[in-house]
Amino acid sequence: MRVYCAKDYEHASRTAANIISAQIIMKPDCVLGLATGSTPIGTYEQLIRWYEKGDLDFSKVKSINLDEYKGLTAENDQSYRYFMNTHLFDSVNIDKNNTFVPDGTEADSEKACRDYDEIIRSHGGVDLQILGLGHNGHIGFNEPADDFAKGTHCVKLTESTISANARFFASMDDVPKEAYTMGIGSIMQAKKIVVIVSGEGKKDIVKKAFLGPITPQVPASVLQLHSDVILVGDEAALSEYNKGV
Ligand code: F6R
């Protein structure tokens, strides 16, 4: 694993954007695996700036997102499709027909997951997967579990996640109780993986995930087995990791 220790969030974002940018330049029709969450927002903003300068062309790029809330439409401002449109797709020349997010409106979970695995398969897998890291080591919506889930699956959100999300919705009933997520197996099949971490709040889980034992109780720890992972973080997030190596 290669580790880039950036001085702050902006620097980490530019570093991650540089890696994505290199991927697009080297393979204009590449398949990017994309994440939502607060961490990659700075990376997406940087990519937009380079696109606006004429340095990046997304016209042939394809993207496959990690996850989506079950039951939310693309128009719902809490859906991950909405997030991707707002934070990246609407601002670059990517063809939206080439952007994939699990279909939150598909009520049949088995069908939604099967269809998404077929989308991943038919694109020949992901060239470059972008990941954030949850405080409990989750990647996508793969939460700590007894085993590593291979393919796309439907996850029941924990009570704590549901109540944490409640502030974004009109009532508790509107808060999604389930989500669709790409499996650990699909994530591990990406040719290259970039994990972006930022802030002191991530320092303990970064150390645990990348220096601790490989266990499904810390889903990101499986990344230690991947042959091409780049960890990009700011000093705050990498501080405990750096002490441990
Ligand atoms: C979202 C996703 C999640 C986030 C993780 C970290 O698509 O994959 O696993 O990456 O929850 O979120 P932030 O970046 O908000 O700390």
Side-chain angles (χ1 to χ4, degrees):
M1 180 172 81
R2 272 167 295 163
V3 182
Y4 285 91
C5 186
K7 62 179 188 310
D8 54 24
Y9 176 69
E10 283 69 34
H11 185 202
S13 299
R14 282 200 307 280
T15 304
N18 258 311
I19 296 165
I20 299 168
S21 167
Q23 171 70 66
I24 296 172
I25 291 166
M26 301 286 280
K27 188 178 176 191
D29 61 346
C30 64
V31 180
L32 297 178
L34 298 178
T36 61
S38 53
T39 312
I41 290 177
T43 302
Y44 296 151
E45 284 172 354
Q46 182 62 65
L47 291 174
I48 292 167
R49 281 195 285 275
W50 284 331
Y51 163 73
E52 285 170 347
K53 278 177 78 181
D55 291 344
L56 267 182
D57 176 12
F58 288 81
S59 61
K60 299 196 184 76
V61 171
K62 297 163 195 105
S63 72
I64 301 183
N65 259 78
L66 282 167
D67 43 14
E68 179 60 285
Y69 288 114
K70 181 176 174 183
L72 297 197
T73 63
E75 293 71 37
N76 187 308
D77 63 5
Q78 294 306 317
S79 75
Y80 287 173
R81 163 56 78 177
Y82 187 95
F83 175 103
M84 289 312 304
N85 287 347
T86 314
H87 289 287
L88 184 64
F89 300 155
D90 286 342
S91 304
V92 297
N93 65 335
I94 198 163
D95 178 349
K96 286 245 184 91
N97 293 319
N98 288 333
T99 67
F100 299 92
V101 179
D103 182 2
T105 63
E106 175 56 69
D108 180 344
S109 300
E110 272 181 32
K111 179 172 186 325
C113 297
R114 211 174 39 242
D115 289 352
Y116 209 59
D117 280 339
E118 178 52 25
I119 286 169
I120 300 168
R121 196 203 57 77
S122 66
H123 282 80
V126 168
D127 290 302
L128 176 64
Q129 176 68 53
I130 315 305
L131 292 178
L133 179 64
H135 288 99
N136 60 1
H138 72 224
I139 45 179
F141 259 122
N142 293 279
E143 298 287 358
D146 292 336
D147 47 25
F148 292 114
K150 275 205 216 88
T152 304
H153 55 289
C154 182
V155 183
K156 292 214 180 320
L157 302 182
T158 59
E159 280 307 317
S160 71
T161 305
I162 294 170
S163 32
N165 288 344
R167 66 186 192 282
F168 299 118
F169 295 87
S171 79
M172 268 304 252
D173 286 346
D174 295 331
V175 187
K177 311 288 183 292
E178 293 176 305
Y180 296 134
T181 184
M182 206 189 260
I184 296 282
S186 308
I187 293 172
M188 287 296 281
Q189 275 170 16
K191 295 185 184 79
K192 187 187 277 294
I193 298 178
V194 179
V195 189
I196 317 171
V197 289
S198 170
E200 203 172 319
K202 295 283 170 77
K203 67 180 189 202
D204 293 325
I205 192 60
V206 170
K207 181 178 177 190
K208 218 169 158 184
F210 296 103
L211 294 178
I214 298 166
T215 162
Q217 294 301 332
V218 183
S221 65
V222 75
L223 298 171
Q224 294 179 43
L225 298 174
H226 193 281
S227 60
D228 196 354
V229 173
I230 311 177
L231 174 61
V232 177
D234 55 21
E235 283 170 4
L238 294 182
S239 57
E240 285 302 313
Y241 174 88
N242 285 336
K243 277 184 217 159
V245 281

Coordinates of all heavy atoms in Angstrom, one line a residue, residues 200-234:
E200 N -9.1 14.4 12.5 CA -8.7 13.7 13.7 C -9.7 12.5 14.0 O -9.3 11.5 14.5 CB -8.6 14.6 14.8 CG -7.7 14.1 15.9 CD -7.4 15.2 16.9 OE1 -7.3 16.4 16.6 OE2 -7.4 14.8 18.1
G201 N -10.9 12.7 13.7 CA -12.0 11.7 14.0 C -11.7 10.4 13.4 O -12.2 9.4 13.8
K202 N -10.9 10.4 12.3 CA -10.6 9.1 11.6 C -9.3 8.4 12.1 O -9.0 7.3 11.6 CB -10.6 9.4 10.1 CG -11.9 9.8 9.5 CD -12.9 8.7 9.3 CE -14.3 9.2 9.0 NZ -14.5 9.6 7.6
K203 N -8.5 9.1 12.9 CA -7.2 8.6 13.2 C -7.1 7.2 13.7 O -6.3 6.4 13.4 CB -6.4 9.6 14.0 CG -6.9 9.7 15.5 CD -6.0 10.7 16.2 CE -6.4 10.6 17.7 NZ -6.2 11.7 18.5
D204 N -8.1 6.9 14.7 CA -8.0 5.5 15.3 C -8.4 4.4 14.3 O -7.8 3.4 14.2 CB -8.9 5.5 16.5 CG -8.3 6.4 17.6 OD1 -7.1 6.5 17.7 OD2 -9.1 7.1 18.3
I205 N -9.5 4.7 13.5 CA -10.0 3.7 12.6 C -9.0 3.5 11.4 O -8.9 2.4 10.9 CB -11.4 4.0 12.1 CG1 -12.0 2.7 11.4 CG2 -11.5 5.2 11.2 CD1 -12.1 1.5 12.3
V206 N -8.3 4.5 11.1 CA -7.3 4.4 10.0 C -6.2 3.4 10.5 O -5.8 2.5 9.7 CB -6.7 5.7 9.6 CG1 -5.5 5.5 8.7 CG2 -7.7 6.6 8.9
K207 N -5.7 3.6 11.7 CA -4.7 2.7 12.2 C -5.2 1.3 12.3 O -4.6 0.3 11.9 CB -4.3 3.2 13.6 CG -3.2 2.3 14.2 CD -2.7 2.9 15.5 CE -1.7 1.9 16.1 NZ -1.4 2.3 17.5
K208 N -6.5 1.1 12.9 CA -7.1 -0.2 13.0 C -7.3 -0.9 11.7 O -7.0 -2.1 11.5 CB -8.4 0.0 13.7 CG -8.8 -1.0 14.7 CD -10.1 -0.5 15.4 CE -10.8 -1.7 16.1 NZ -12.0 -1.3 16.7
A209 N -7.7 -0.1 10.7 CA -8.0 -0.7 9.4 C -6.8 -1.2 8.7 O -6.8 -2.2 8.0 CB -8.9 0.2 8.5
F210 N -5.7 -0.4 8.7 CA -4.6 -0.6 7.9 C -3.4 -1.3 8.6 O -2.5 -1.8 8.0 CB -4.2 0.6 7.1 CG -5.2 1.1 6.2 CD1 -6.1 2.1 6.5 CD2 -5.5 0.4 5.0 CE1 -7.1 2.5 5.7 CE2 -6.5 0.7 4.2 CZ -7.3 1.8 4.5
L211 N -3.4 -1.3 9.9 CA -2.3 -1.9 10.7 C -2.8 -3.0 11.6 O -2.1 -3.8 12.1 CB -1.6 -0.9 11.5 CG -0.8 0.2 10.8 CD1 -0.1 1.2 11.7 CD2 0.3 -0.4 9.8
G212 N -4.2 -3.1 11.8 CA -4.7 -4.1 12.7 C -5.0 -5.4 12.0 O -4.7 -5.6 10.8
P213 N -5.6 -6.4 12.7 CA -5.9 -7.7 12.1 C -7.0 -7.5 11.0 O -7.8 -6.6 11.1 CB -6.4 -8.5 13.2 CG -6.6 -7.6 14.4 CD -5.9 -6.3 14.1
I214 N -6.9 -8.4 10.0 CA -7.9 -8.4 8.9 C -9.1 -9.1 9.4 O -9.0 -10.3 9.7 CB -7.3 -9.0 7.6 CG1 -6.1 -8.2 7.2 CG2 -8.4 -9.1 6.5 CD1 -5.3 -8.9 6.1
T215 N -10.2 -8.4 9.5 CA -11.4 -9.0 10.1 C -12.7 -8.3 9.5 O -12.7 -7.1 9.4 CB -11.4 -8.9 11.6 OG1 -12.8 -9.2 12.1 CG2 -11.0 -7.6 12.1
P216 N -13.8 -9.1 9.3 CA -15.0 -8.5 8.8 C -15.6 -7.5 9.9 O -16.5 -6.7 9.6 CB -15.9 -9.6 8.5 CG -15.3 -10.8 9.2 CD -13.9 -10.6 9.4
Q217 N -15.1 -7.6 11.1 CA -15.6 -6.6 12.1 C -15.0 -5.2 11.8 O -15.5 -4.2 12.4 CB -15.1 -7.1 13.5 CG -15.8 -8.4 14.0 CD -17.3 -8.3 14.1 OE1 -17.9 -7.2 14.2 NE2 -18.0 -9.4 13.8
V218 N -14.0 -5.2 11.0 CA -13.4 -3.9 10.5 C -13.4 -4.1 9.0 O -12.3 -4.4 8.5 CB -12.0 -3.6 11.1 CG1 -11.5 -2.2 10.6 CG2 -12.0 -3.6 12.6
P219 N -14.5 -3.8 8.3 CA -14.6 -4.2 6.9 C -13.4 -3.7 6.1 O -12.9 -4.4 5.2 CB -15.9 -3.6 6.5 CG -16.7 -3.6 7.7 CD -15.8 -3.3 8.8
A220 N -12.9 -2.4 6.3 CA -11.9 -1.8 5.5 C -10.5 -2.6 5.7 O -9.6 -2.4 4.8 CB -11.7 -0.4 5.8
S221 N -10.4 -3.4 6.7 CA -9.1 -4.1 6.9 C -8.8 -5.1 5.8 O -7.7 -5.4 5.5 CB -9.1 -4.8 8.3 OG -10.1 -5.9 8.3
V222 N -9.9 -5.5 5.1 CA -9.7 -6.4 3.9 C -8.8 -5.8 2.9 O -8.2 -6.4 2.1 CB -11.1 -6.9 3.4 CG1 -11.7 -5.8 2.6 CG2 -10.9 -8.2 2.6
L223 N -8.8 -4.4 2.8 CA -8.0 -3.7 1.8 C -6.6 -4.0 1.9 O -5.8 -3.8 1.0 CB -8.3 -2.2 1.9 CG -9.7 -1.8 1.7 CD1 -9.9 -0.3 2.0 CD2 -10.2 -2.1 0.2
Q224 N -6.1 -4.5 3.1 CA -4.7 -4.9 3.3 C -4.3 -6.0 2.3 O -3.1 -6.2 2.0 CB -4.4 -5.3 4.7 CG -4.6 -4.2 5.7 CD -4.3 -4.8 7.1 OE1 -3.4 -5.5 7.4 NE2 -5.1 -4.4 8.1
L225 N -5.3 -6.7 1.8 CA -5.1 -7.9 0.9 C -5.1 -7.4 -0.5 O -4.8 -8.3 -1.4 CB -6.1 -9.0 1.1 CG -6.2 -9.6 2.5 CD1 -7.4 -10.5 2.6 CD2 -4.9 -10.3 2.8
H226 N -5.4 -6.2 -0.8 CA -5.5 -5.7 -2.2 C -4.1 -5.3 -2.6 O -3.3 -4.7 -1.9 CB -6.5 -4.6 -2.4 CG -6.8 -4.3 -3.8 ND1 -6.0 -3.5 -4.6 CD2 -7.9 -4.6 -4.5 CE1 -6.6 -3.4 -5.8 NE2 -7.7 -4.0 -5.8
S227 N -3.7 -5.6 -3.9 CA -2.3 -5.3 -4.3 C -2.1 -3.9 -4.7 O -0.9 -3.5 -4.9 CB -2.0 -6.2 -5.5 OG -2.8 -6.0 -6.5
D228 N -3.1 -3.1 -4.9 CA -2.9 -1.7 -5.4 C -3.8 -0.7 -4.7 O -4.8 -0.2 -5.3 CB -3.1 -1.6 -6.9 CG -2.5 -0.4 -7.5 OD1 -2.0 0.5 -6.8 OD2 -2.4 -0.3 -8.8
V229 N -3.5 -0.4 -3.4 CA -4.3 0.5 -2.7 C -3.4 1.8 -2.4 O -2.2 1.6 -2.0 CB -4.7 -0.1 -1.3 CG1 -5.4 1.0 -0.4 CG2 -5.7 -1.2 -1.5
I230 N -4.0 2.9 -2.5 CA -3.3 4.2 -2.2 C -4.2 4.8 -1.1 O -5.4 5.1 -1.3 CB -3.2 5.1 -3.4 CG1 -2.7 4.4 -4.6 CG2 -2.4 6.4 -3.0 CD1 -2.6 5.3 -5.9
L231 N -3.6 5.1 0.0 CA -4.2 5.7 1.1 C -3.8 7.2 1.1 O -2.6 7.5 1.2 CB -3.8 5.1 2.5 CG -4.3 5.7 3.8 CD1 -5.9 5.8 3.8 CD2 -3.8 5.0 5.0
V232 N -4.8 8.1 0.9 CA -4.5 9.5 0.9 C -5.2 10.2 2.1 O -6.4 10.0 2.2 CB -5.1 10.1 -0.4 CG1 -4.9 11.7 -0.4 CG2 -4.5 9.5 -1.7
G233 N -4.4 10.8 2.9 CA -5.0 11.4 4.1 C -4.3 12.6 4.5 O -3.2 12.9 4.1
D234 N -5.0 13.4 5.4 CA -4.3 14.6 5.9 C -3.6 14.1 7.2 O -3.8 13.0 7.7 CB -5.2 15.7 6.2 CG -6.4 15.4 7.0 OD1 -6.4 14.4 7.8 OD2 -7.5 16.1 7.0

